[in-house]
Amino acid sequence: MRRHDGGVGVEAGSAADAGVAPGGGTVVDAGGAMDGGATSAFVARACDGREKGPGLQPRCGSIRVPERRDDPAAGTIEIKVAIYSAAVARAGVLPVIYLAGGAGGSSIANAVWEGAWNVEKPLSAFLENRDVIAIDLRGSGGSTPSLSCGEMAMAALSPGAAADAEFDGMAVTACRRQLQAAGATLTAYGTAAAAHDVQEVIEALGLSGFDVVGSSYGARVALELVRRQPAGLHAMVFDSVAAPGGQPWLDEAAVFEAGFARFAERCTLTPACQNALPAPLEALRTIVARLEAEPVDVDSHGGPVRIDARSFLRALWASLRDGDFTLTLGSRLAAALRGDYGYFAAVLGAPRGTGSIGVTLSVACAEQVGATSPAEVEARAAAVAPPFARALVGRYFTRACPLWNVSPVPAAASTPLPKTSLPVLFLAGSLDPVVAPTDSAVVAQSFVNTRQTVLPGYGHSVLRHRCAAAVAARFLATPTIPIPHVCPPPDAD
């Protein structure tokens, strides 16, 4: 069994698999009996291809937890865990609990992408000298049951995909019936339960000390973990975090508009971008008007991609979110103004995973949408520039949630966090069209020992970039030092 101080020692097939993990947690062989019937024993298993990637050394396993903690007799579910080993183990360096974004997304799949396939390999900034523990939250990724529904893809939730004529209520109802017929309790797949699962993983692995890195929805789960105050928590990084208890669908059009406005400002200050696109907002309005009058079909990824006003805005939103083309986005928009939509067709036509849409709906409907009505979404959107009002995810949820029919979480779940001296770094991207960068400052009010950095030219989930990940890794190594604004825009020369 491999281990170092602060590391994690659970390797399938080793002689110590049935022994004790660091700090005293129980580890059993795959197929072995749980110690005393406990649901939180870590069961080591062989890793499959989804958990591996070039240069990564995973050790894999799972724990079982009650699906409903208010009724443990109702049955258990499995939480999948992959532990990626440090390149060079160093004594006293704590492991990182890694929680990726997207309610319904896979932390393990994100870890593999960011550690092996992303050209920047940002996860390697943490893996240089510490283990990274990726946890697929309940209902998501490799955890079972998976609350996915076949062809009902997560791409349907992108901005602009849910106009009245496009909304498929029958698919939502069929998904709900499918998951309930399989025995899933849809109200059990929320943020508080996910945070409780993370705490049980920590205890099962016997971690006496650890750091937590959460991005987007993963940061929201990490916030809930703070409420639970697990022993051994040393420091945290929150990337693109939204304030808990909010109703983001009422503000999404305004956040998208503000993200584009910050892009336009950067464009006017950059000669190459300004020369290509002297008036970004006017250009966008022209493009949208043309596509509204006459949609076009563009070949991409082996087939035609229909681009209309709504789908074009969805592709623009995705470009700002990813933050990969901050300055070159000017030339992309200039090309679209000339009738060349190739780049945006590529964004729209790129293959996407389906994710666990059941988790997405359960979290959104129970914790975020509330009593928000379609009329409220449209009324709030009417206050922003007309192009951005077309791109609203909220249209989908305000129609889907009455069909999903899960009860709202108690009001106590969205109360402010208790004050804590825990060292915390907040990261945000200036162009983020998903979560307003100012949300970090709102959340930071619950902490007394914080560092806050908004990275210019970055979009949503800035830890997908190596420089931002390196800043986070340095903070975790020495939380007392100031955090410099050292990251250039992702596409800077």
Side-chain angles (χ1 to χ4, degrees), residues 337-349:
L337 195 60
R338 298 191 300 268
D340 178 0
Y341 300 101
Y343 164 72
F344 295 99
V347 172
L348 292 169

Side-chain angles (χ1 to χ4, degrees), residues 293-327:
E294 186 176 357
V296 298
D297 290 319
V298 179
D299 286 335
S300 184
H301 296 282
V305 175
R306 170 55 60 100
I307 301 181
D308 56 18
R310 194 178 298 275
S311 63
F312 178 84
L313 284 164
R314 182 162 76 247
L316 175 62
W317 177 88
S319 297
L320 287 172
R321 176 199 63 197
D322 293 345
D324 293 330
F325 305 103
T326 303
L327 301 182

